[in-house]
Amino acid sequence: MLLSDFNGPYGSTHYPPALGRVLGRVLNEWKPALVLSAGDLIAGQKASLSDVNVRAMWAAFERDVREPLAGAGIPFAFALGNHDASLARDRREAAAYWGAHPPALTYAERAAFPFRYSFTQGALFVAVLDATGPGVDAAQRSWLAAQLATPAARAAAVRLVLGHLPLAGLSREKNRPGEVIRPADALALRAVMERGGVTAYVSGHQAAYYPGRLGGLNVLGSGGIGGRDYVGAPGTARSVVTVLDVVGGEVRLSAYDADTGAAVPATSLPTRVDGLGGPVLRVETLR
């Protein structure tokens, strides 16, 4: 399962109703082996919020998301988003919360957890980046290159990289500098992933579900609860949650409207999105 960007307004300790409906399907119908999230789990990134406010938001996440999944034996793996870990205080509180609640994963490397880590899950190898802001520096790229060269990564049928900000703009509202990874960093990061045989870079932030191809790399915008219009396509906003089925060396995608539960076929999406850092061309599976 892929479920990202479900935080409410700044400081909120309550989640949108659609999240409860989605989690009901996760727990009672889909029963996945793993839930992945590309971030924005809480509604931080506001300096006027107190430490107590931020801790209350993590307590709400524990109550409504992590604990029900853990109780069902479903691990929750995540990248932190800008609303989770942009400010120094938010990063401190995120580290404290996740230090007390580490996901039950088979970690390959976790020295910088929860900001950066890697793990295996069945046929998957997943490397998680700290892409809470537009910079992904040379140190992170070197770390990623080393992870992708490990025996665990090379043996995996599917290799995913998970980070919050995307490589290219997908939604009209977020199609501007600061809302995507900086062009120079994005190009260098793409090169690392292409050389490392990454199946897809999975991102959040833009709240626009889109499986696509950017140059020689698959990218997957994970959507979110409270979707946004695609670049150049007004009236297309939709909240989306996605089921990922790993079959051999490919990932088959089944997307659903988080508000209505209806299937979202790939053919209903724009054939290409010409955002900042693009274009991104639509694909139906990731291989």
Side-chain angles (χ1 to χ4, degrees), residues 133-137 165-167 177-189:
V136 177
D137 62 16
L165 262 66
L167 297 169
E179 310 287 1
V180 300
I181 294 173
R182 282 194 294 260
D185 288 359
L187 285 172
L189 183 58

Side-chain angles (χ1 to χ4, degrees), residues 114-134:
F115 304 103
R116 188 181 69 205
Y117 59 101
S118 62
F119 66 94
T120 58
Q121 173 81 28
L124 284 176
F125 177 87
V126 181
V128 177
L129 294 177
D130 183 356
T132 55

